[in-house]
Amino acid sequence: MGLRIYDTLQRAKVDFIPATPGHVGIYVCGPTVYSDPHLGHARGPIVYDVLRRYFLHMGYKVRFVSNITDVGHLTDDADGGEDKILKRAKLEQLEPMEVAEKYTWSYFDAITALNVLRPSIAPRASGHIPEQIELTERLLKLGFAYERKGSVYFRVRAFPEYGKLSGKRLEELRAGARVEVREEKEDPLDFALWKAAEPGHLMRWKSPWGEGYPGWHIECTAMSLKYLGEGFDIHAGGIDLQFPHHECEIAQAEAAGYRFARHWMHHNHVLLEGEKMAKSTGNLVLLHDLLKAHEPMALRFYLLQTHYRSPMDFTWEGLEAAKRGYTRLLTAYREVRTHLKTASPGTTPELERALDALEKDFLEAIENDLSTPEALAAFFTFLPELNRLLPEAKGDTLRRTAQVFHTLGEGILGLFPERVLEEKVSGPLLEGLVTLLLELREEARRAKDYAKSDLIRERLKSLGIIVEDTKEGPKWRLEMA
């Protein structure tokens, strides 16, 4: 069928055809690095990681660019307030670039733990000041910008298509505009391309208009064009960036005469108790705290259970349910690998047919605008057949089964890095002790001493060992964190 994505600009699902055959260019708006990441910051990286992994699976060469905002993002998006990084630097009594460095690595540590592939390029706003100045100069020359008191503003009235991404009309924006924040603006809707540095402002660079620093929106326009070129394939980010950030990016690029992104994708919010997670409100769960207490892959699985364009309401009960679901998949994959070691050669036709259905349903789901919930559902539809046929399955079919788990479950969904496929504790001593306890439990059950049987099971559970009674006898596994 081929990939179909929901293009925010076209307001419809469209067939994805790359601008250059065999190559895909993706730009994703990255974090503003002024504090530790929260759970909401994990959703975008995971969603677009699945997109990237799908393209790699299909044989494309992918350039994936995701920026680091380390200057220019103010506490008020209407060009007022303090720079977010400067504010944190004062609070922590650090140099601004110390703050940026500290939280850049905090972010990368978190998303790496979630098995997110590193960007091909992760450009920093502070490292691309010349490109931002050059773009600002071009907009001034073309009459789309003006300079006032060392600051440069984009003239929104001069770009009639402003609002085409978000669906906002200029007339409505003007009618609802607040009183001007800065007197030097021609229009309250105009936004900063370059800001004059106030006395004592630590982050400042020389420019044709005096010492200052770039506005927030200009960085992504300059860096995406630099590394992906005109008319690149996909620009993505959170739905909250659609306006004003992405709207301003389009205006800057197209007013300067450049063809900008061909497709736009936006993921929805992660909610906590029905409200958006945000640093500004304190309604959040820090990502590092979650990753210390819970298996990162179970958290990734949880985030993939909801379609990326729908809001996701995080609950602790939901996370526990996701851990159980993920454990079912992981246990099945481990058992396939175990059975493969002793299986006889040959194929198992029934299991082969179930694998055909899994592959078909899975790819149809992913190609339908990254429907990861349906892709996961395809795996769970497959599990009963696998569990039924696994004991007698032949080696060739088991080898294919393991490959399907690897290719789809890890290769595209990113759920099964090699780390999780190995038991956390192993060795003959552990195996022997658990086997001995299960034998004692079975003796107690035969003697109808159910109190002792239950006690052994509960004590094992308290040690992180889960016992499951099956038709083939008791089985055990280590509990997922």
Side-chain angles (χ1 to χ4, degrees):
M1 180 176 70
L3 180 65
R4 288 176 62 79
I5 57 173
Y6 184 87
D7 187 329
T8 312
L9 185 61
Q10 299 184 57
R11 292 167 177 76
K13 284 185 186 179
V14 298
D15 293 330
F16 175 79
I17 301 172
T20 303
H23 295 256
V24 179
I26 303 172
Y27 187 91
V28 176
C29 285
T32 301
V33 285
Y34 68 97
S35 64
D36 286 315
H38 58 70
L39 176 60
H41 294 126
R43 193 177 197 190
I46 288 173
V47 165
Y48 305 119
D49 186 57
V50 171
L51 177 67
R52 179 186 186 181
R53 286 168 176 268
Y54 165 79
F55 283 129
L56 292 171
H57 170 75
M58 298 303 291
Y60 288 95
K61 184 176 181 180
V62 181
R63 177 172 288 178
F64 189 97
V65 182
S66 185
N67 69 299
I68 298 294
T69 297
D70 60 356
V71 66
H73 194 172
L74 305 183
T75 53
D76 184 335
D77 290 344
D79 297 329
E82 287 185 273
D83 184 293
K84 291 185 176 183
I85 291 174
L86 272 179
K87 184 177 179 180
R88 175 63 67 159
K90 292 175 184 176
L91 181 67
E92 298 192 17
Q93 296 185 327
L94 297 171
E95 285 290 329
M97 284 306 168
E98 282 184 281
V99 170
E101 195 72 12
K102 173 182 176 180
Y103 292 114
T104 294
W105 289 110
S106 174
Y107 169 77
F108 277 125
D109 286 346
I111 65 168
T112 298
L114 288 164
N115 204 25
V116 172
L117 302 174
R118 285 289 179 93
S120 311
I121 304 172
R124 301 187 183 208
S126 62
H128 295 76
I129 301 298
E131 291 86 352
Q132 295 171 77
I133 289 175
E134 182 181 352
L135 181 56
T136 300
E137 288 181 310
R138 184 180 179 96
L139 290 166
L140 278 166
K141 182 178 180 181
L142 293 170
F144 287 98
Y146 58 93
E147 185 266 335
R148 294 287 188 277
K149 300 180 181 179
S151 294
V152 182
Y153 296 96
F154 185 88
R155 189 174 276 125
V156 170
R157 288 181 185 271
F159 189 74
E161 291 188 80
Y162 189 84
K164 65 181 180 179
L165 178 69
S166 60
K168 298 180 184 292
R169 298 170 57 193
L170 279 179
E171 294 76 12
E172 295 169 352
L173 290 171
R174 288 177 187 134
R178 301 180 302 169
V179 176
E180 291 188 41
V181 176
R182 300 182 69 91
E183 293 180 359
E184 64 259 25
K185 285 187 181 183
E186 291 179 355
D187 189 303
L189 296 181
D190 295 347
F191 59 89
L193 302 171
W194 185 264
K195 300 294 295 294
E198 303 288 344
H201 193 99
L202 297 178
M203 301 176 79
R204 57 205 299 148
W205 289 265
K206 292 181 180 180
S207 81
W209 318 286
E211 288 195 348
Y213 54 94
W216 173 33
H217 312 304
I218 193 77
E219 62 170 288
C220 287
T221 304
M223 294 190 294
S224 60
L225 288 170
K226 176 181 177 68
Y227 292 111
L228 295 173
E230 290 191 61
F232 62 89
D233 293 303
I234 296 171
H235 194 313
I239 195 171
D240 54 326
L241 298 180
Q242 186 176 330
F243 186 89
H245 185 52
H246 291 162
E247 199 73 73
C248 294
E249 281 192 62
I250 292 172
Q252 292 163 158
E254 295 188 356
Y258 298 115
R259 289 177 295 109
F260 205 43
R262 298 168 58 242
H263 300 292
W264 288 83
M265 296 177 69
H266 291 92
H267 63 276
N268 217 316
H269 301 304
V270 176
L271 308 176
L272 180 61
E273 296 180 358
E275 295 183 9
K276 176 195 168 188
M277 284 196 194
K279 295 177 183 177
S280 57
T281 63
N283 187 60
L284 50 81
V285 178
L286 290 179
L287 198 47
H288 287 293
D289 291 342
L290 279 172
L291 295 175
K292 287 175 186 175
H294 306 276
E295 166 57 52
M297 293 302 93
L299 184 58
R300 181 175 174 119
F301 175 89
Y302 187 23
L303 290 171
L304 291 176
Q305 284 184 306
T306 302
H307 191 271
Y308 78 91
R309 287 196 292 117
S310 299
M312 176 194 170
D313 198 356
F314 175 86
T315 66
W316 297 108
E317 295 82 3
L319 177 58
E320 290 302 317
K323 284 160 67 173
R324 292 192 293 272
Y326 177 69
T327 299
R328 283 184 63 200
L329 285 182
L330 178 59
T331 300
Y333 189 4
R334 284 173 172 170
E335 289 186 354
V336 167
R337 286 162 54 111
T338 299
H339 279 71
L340 182 55
K341 295 174 184 177
T342 57
S344 58
T347 61
T348 305
E350 280 188 88
L351 189 52
E352 292 281 349
R353 287 192 290 272
L355 285 166
D356 291 340
L358 168 59
E359 290 183 305
K360 174 179 176 293
D361 293 345
F362 180 96
L363 285 175
E364 284 181 355
I366 292 296
E367 290 178 342
N368 181 23
D369 191 31
L370 293 188
S371 184
T372 54
E374 292 183 4
L376 289 171
F379 264 109
F380 284 103
T381 299
F382 170 72
L383 282 190
E385 282 294 278
L386 174 63
N387 292 333
R388 182 175 67 86
L389 298 168
L390 184 59
E392 305 302 324
K394 301 297 184 181
D396 294 344
T397 299
L398 285 179
R399 194 169 293 106
R400 181 189 170 194
T401 306
Q403 185 59 44
V404 168
F405 268 95
H406 175 73
T407 302
L408 305 185
E410 167 59 13
I412 296 180
L413 294 183
L415 289 172
F416 303 121
E418 191 63 29
R419 170 185 65 79
V420 303
L421 296 178
E422 300 172 359
E423 298 287 356
K424 293 181 181 177
V425 182
S426 59
L429 178 60
L430 175 68
E431 296 276 349
L433 288 173
V434 175
T435 300
L436 174 61
L437 287 169
L438 292 182
E439 288 173 354
L440 292 173
R441 178 173 176 264
E442 285 302 297
E443 287 181 11
R445 292 179 71 183
R446 285 194 293 270
K448 301 189 184 302
D449 188 350
Y450 298 116
K452 181 182 284 188
S453 169
D454 291 342
L455 177 62
I456 293 173
R457 182 172 184 166
E458 288 306 310
R459 289 294 297 275
L460 285 170
K461 184 177 180 181
S462 72
L463 295 170
I465 297 170
I466 304 301
V467 177
E468 295 174 341
D469 293 310
T470 71
K471 287 185 286 187
E472 291 81 26
K475 292 186 177 182
W476 65 275
R477 59 178 171 78
L478 292 172
E479 185 177 26
M480 187 71 63

